[in-house]
Structure formats: C-alpha cells, structure tokens
C-alpha cells in the first residue's frame, strides 16, 4: 500500500511539473500564433489527432487507382484549394502557413507520409480541431473522390517535379490586383494603348 501511495505521489508531482512547465512556456510566449509549439504540445496534439480518427477509418485504403490523369486533377485541386496554406510543394512555407498556430506541417516529411490513406482522407474530410485545418467533406460519398485524389497527391509530394510546380503556379488563386493587371495586359495585347500605361503604372507600385 505504501508503494502504491509513493507511485501515485510521484505521478501527481510529475503531472504537476509538466503542467507548470507548460504554464511557464505559455506565460513567456503568450498565446501568439507566431510562437513555435513546444515539444509537449506537439506530443499531445499528435496523440489527440490519433485518437480522434476512428479505427475503421485508419484502416481504409485509397479506392482510386493512381494514374497520371488523376494526379493532374489532384495538382489542380491542391493548387486552387490547399496551396495558400501548404504551398504548392507541400512545405507549408506560405504567409498563412507560417503564421497560424500550429504552423502548417511539411507534408513531405515522415510525420505525414507515414500516415495511412484512411487517416489522410479523414483529416481532409473532417479537419483538425484547434488548428487552421478545415474539414472539406460534404457528407456525400459521391463527392469523396476529390479527397481521395488529394491523398494520392500528398503521397506524390516528396518527388514532385519542377515542371509540375510551374504548372501549379499558373493555377493558384490570384488577388484582385493581379487579375486587374492581367486584364490590362490582355487589353494592351489586343491593341488598347490606354491599358498599356495602366499596366505599367500598376507594376511600378
């Protein structure tokens, strides 16, 4: 009985110490989204993520055969919907990706690549709580194909080519200013000299 009490006391003190350390880290950094998650937060987040994905979902395999046409569709989907946070190459090195909390992960690294198809699909469909990752699922199985295509694309990221990245750059969403500049350039190429001066002025800014 005495040994059990000692073990319980040690467990309580260890828990108290971890909470104190976590509290100190939070106090020194505040709740800024620019701070890097500490090791304890990362460990807890990964465990919670693992527990949040139902076992039957973790065992799912991608039902879609991998083809070049599928990868092309997935590249376009990723460039249009995902790259603003994750970057075209999956690095997470974007203005949004670097300034959310936790940071957008590098999808090329083992932490993501070792996840099962079912885990990746579940995250795309349902998102992850307390992060910037939204859930894109509609609840309609007929519309699940896009998410399974993205699972294939995520697997492909470690070996993505420069040609593919250049193609994706043309598919990324454009700002209003960029669209206006493109419109003026098109007008200029069509013979509108007034648009030429407008396009030149826009580039100077």
């Amino acid at each position: 009985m005495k040994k059990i009490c000692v073990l319980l006391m040690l467990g309580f003190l260890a828990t108290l110490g971890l909470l104190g350390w976590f509290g100190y880290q939070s106090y020194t950094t505040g709740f800024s989204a620019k701070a890097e998650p500490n090791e304890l937060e990362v460990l807890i987040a990964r465990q919670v993520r693992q527990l949040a994905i139902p076992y039957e979902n973790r065992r799912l395999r991608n039902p879609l055969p991998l083809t070049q046409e599928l990868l092309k569709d997935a590249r376009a989907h990723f460039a249009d919907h995902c790259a603003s946070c994750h970057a075209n190459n999956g690095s997470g090195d974007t203005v949004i990706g670097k300034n959310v909390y936790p940071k957008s992960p590098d999808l090329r690294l083992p932490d993501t690549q070792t996840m099962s198809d079912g885990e990746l699909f579940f995250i795309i469909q349902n998102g992850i709580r307390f992060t910037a990752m939204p859930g894109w699922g509609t609840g309609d199985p007929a519309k699940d194909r896009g998410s399974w295509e993205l699972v294939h694309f995520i697997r492909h990221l470690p070996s993505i080519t420069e040609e593919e990245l250049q193609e994706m750059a043309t598919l990324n969403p454009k700002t209003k200013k960029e669209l206006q500049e493109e419109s003026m350039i098109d007008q200029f190429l069509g013979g509108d000299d007034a648009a030429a001066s407008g396009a030149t002025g826009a580039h100077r800014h």
Side-chain angles (χ1 to χ4, degrees):
M1 188 66 181
K2 185 176 180 180
K3 289 183 178 179
I4 294 176
C5 289
V6 171
L7 290 174
L8 289 174
M9 181 60 68
L10 290 174
F12 173 75
L13 291 175
T15 302
L16 195 62
L18 285 172
L19 290 174
W21 178 76
F22 177 76
Y24 174 75
Q25 292 290 324
S26 298
Y27 175 77
T28 56
T29 62
F31 289 96
S32 170
K34 294 183 177 296
E36 288 290 341
N38 58 57
E39 294 179 4
L40 179 60
E41 285 181 278
V42 173
L43 177 63
I44 293 174
R46 286 177 181 166
Q47 293 302 315
V48 170
R49 183 184 67 184
Q50 180 73 11
L51 293 172
I53 301 175
Y55 178 69
E56 59 271 19
N57 290 84
R58 296 201 294 267
R59 299 178 62 191
L60 292 176
R61 292 187 177 182
N62 200 326
L64 302 181
L66 178 59
T67 65
Q68 289 304 311
E69 183 179 358
L70 180 148
L71 271 183
K72 182 176 181 180
D73 290 342
R75 280 198 303 272
H77 189 166
F78 192 93
D80 187 50
H81 291 79
C82 313
S84 56
C85 289
H86 292 287
N88 287 330
N89 63 2
S91 66
D93 188 14
T94 68
V95 173
I96 296 175
K98 292 187 297 185
N99 288 286
V100 294
Y101 192 87
K103 315 300 181 193
S104 292
D106 189 332
L107 301 179
R108 303 167 298 182
L109 298 182
D111 284 341
T112 296
Q113 293 296 322
T114 55
M115 297 179 72
S116 70
D117 290 348
E119 288 174 317
L120 293 175
F121 177 78
F122 186 89
I123 289 173
I124 294 169
Q125 288 286 97
N126 299 281
I128 304 175
R129 290 185 181 184
F130 309 115
T131 73
M133 178 62 191
W136 298 105
T138 63
D140 182 357
K143 298 181 180 179
D144 288 346
R145 180 181 176 87
S147 295
W148 282 120
E149 289 178 349
L150 287 175
V151 171
H152 273 310
F153 180 73
I154 291 170
R155 297 281 188 230
H156 177 67
L157 281 171
S159 58
I160 195 168
T161 67
E162 187 59 37
E163 289 75 19
E164 289 173 307
L165 292 174
Q166 290 176 3
E167 174 195 345
M168 293 175 72
T170 67
L171 301 172
N172 293 143
K174 293 180 173 60
T175 64
K176 183 177 180 181
K177 181 179 179 181
E178 289 172 331
L179 291 172
Q180 289 175 337
E181 289 180 1
E182 286 187 359
S183 176
M184 287 189 289
I185 291 172
D186 288 341
Q187 291 176 40
F188 166 65
L189 294 176
D192 187 343
D193 293 336
S197 58
T200 303
H203 282 296
R204 285 175 182 170
H205 293 292

